[in-house]
Amino acid sequence: MHSIQDDAGTVYGGLGHLLLEFYQSKQLPIPEKLLSIQEVERFDFSLWRDLLIQLQQKLQTPALGLEIANFVQPRHLGIMAYLVLSCETLGEALMRYHDYHRLVYDGSPLEVRVENDVLSIAWAEIPFNLMTQLTDEVAMALMLKILRSLMAIDDIHLHEVHFKYPANKYINLYEQYFQCKVRFNQSQSIIFLHVSELAKPLRQGDQTLQKLLKQQAEALLEKLPNTSQADQRIQQAILAGLQKNMFQIEHIAQQLHWSVRQLQRHLQKQGKTYQQRMQEIRFMLAQQYLKDENLSLHEISLLLGYSEQSAFQRAFKQWSSETPQQWRSNYLENKTQEKTLDHPIEENLNPQYQI
């Protein structure tokens, strides 16, 4: 039988990092429970709720969730944020946020509806005992903060924001943050915006995503030093396509301003199909991602365009005859051995630190 805690789900470990950085900015004593989750991939929503309430009791700050959200960076939301970073319009970013929201909080889905040219994003119900104004306002403010940071020219103009909790005397703080009418005592916590907002462009060339793509591209080019300019363009198009989960041959051909047949003929001259070329790139990317211990196998699966981790694991075993876990373990072991060989004198000078 599931408990209330089981039904509430879990949150991404990066939210624990976010809260730790907020504590440090305020120079507050850090709770032991918060320190204990700094190395975990996910933790219980009930613990997230308790940590937020504990912080609120310490500070007695109105609209605390909005203040916490001002500290958010893509790394705090994990791979979902990087997928959002790769989008070209607000509408596409919201679609990615909706599709991958469970990577940040898997307790309840986002409900998106369109009525009379107004789009609503509602936070579905969670067990009553775990509902708080603070958890809702953090969730809503985090999403808005990330999206606003990506806008190319104009800001996001919200229509209204609803909270299901009783009104307080600090409504002006909420309306300043959301820059729209904020209503309390509503049936659900919802953000409303006009459908016309969805066409607004996001800022291109985000440095975080650009760095990631650049590292991937350089790794690919190092392995293929004799590739032509056309091959480099194909690689870049597939890289970007995987980031956006739009890597079908039709989409890649469109990005290159080629027909599908032209792309197929180019690859045939090299004795390859499009599927084979994409899998080569996926394999090289997978190796790059596995070197990063902060990325889980689930996150790597999504980065490579797989809907299920098991599909990625099967593919990797075919590519390398090893599972992703085995490949990562071997890589980390070799890396440790190389470090030991590189610094034998330092270890001898500091015997008290040897294990």
Side-chain angles (χ1 to χ4, degrees), residues 216-227 235 277 280 283-285 287-288 291 327:
Q216 295 167 356
E218 288 176 353
L220 292 173
L221 294 177
E222 284 178 10
K223 293 177 180 292
L224 300 168
N226 298 319
T227 56
Q235 291 168 35
R277 189 70 192 93
E280 286 177 354
F283 180 38
M284 285 186 280
L285 286 181
Q287 292 172 318
Q288 294 297 315
K291 292 176 183 179
W327 193 96

Side-chain angles (χ1 to χ4, degrees), residues 12 72-87 96-97 100 103-104 146 150 206 208-209:
Y12 178 62
V72 71
Q73 298 292 327
R75 55 189 162 83
H76 296 131
L77 303 184
I79 198 60
M80 186 201 68
Y82 292 105
L83 287 167
V84 169
L85 285 174
S86 70
C87 297
R96 294 284 172 251
Y97 208 102
Y100 297 105
L103 294 178
V104 178
I146 284 290
L150 304 178
D206 177 88
T208 305
L209 180 61

Side-chain angles (χ1 to χ4, degrees), residues 47-154:
L47 177 55
W48 170 243
R49 185 273 323 262
D50 292 346
L51 287 169
L52 289 175
I53 291 175
Q54 183 179 357
L55 179 58
Q56 189 173 48
Q57 291 171 344
K58 281 184 179 181
L59 294 179
Q60 297 294 314
T61 301
L64 177 61
L66 310 184
E67 188 176 349
I68 293 171
N70 283 328
F71 283 77
V72 71
Q73 298 292 327
R75 55 189 162 83
H76 296 131
L77 303 184
I79 198 60
M80 186 201 68
Y82 292 105
L83 287 167
V84 169
L85 285 174
S86 70
C87 297
E88 296 178 357
T89 65
L90 178 59
E92 185 186 356
L94 283 171
M95 182 165 54
R96 294 284 172 251
Y97 208 102
H98 171 266
D99 291 345
Y100 297 105
H101 172 71
R102 293 182 66 249
L103 294 178
V104 178
Y105 167 50
D106 66 3
S108 62
L110 290 181
E111 298 175 351
V112 179
R113 298 188 181 92
V114 176
E115 186 176 349
N116 297 328
D117 295 328
V118 173
L119 180 138
S120 65
I121 306 167
W123 274 253
E125 295 289 343
I126 61 173
F128 179 77
N129 289 21
L130 296 178
M131 295 190 305
T132 71
Q133 167 70 26
L134 186 53
T135 54
D136 274 15
E137 71 184 49
V138 168
M140 297 166 78
L142 285 181
M143 186 188 81
L144 188 62
K145 178 70 175 179
I146 284 290
L147 292 175
R148 276 183 163 156
S149 71
L150 304 178
M151 300 303 292
I153 304 173
D154 200 3

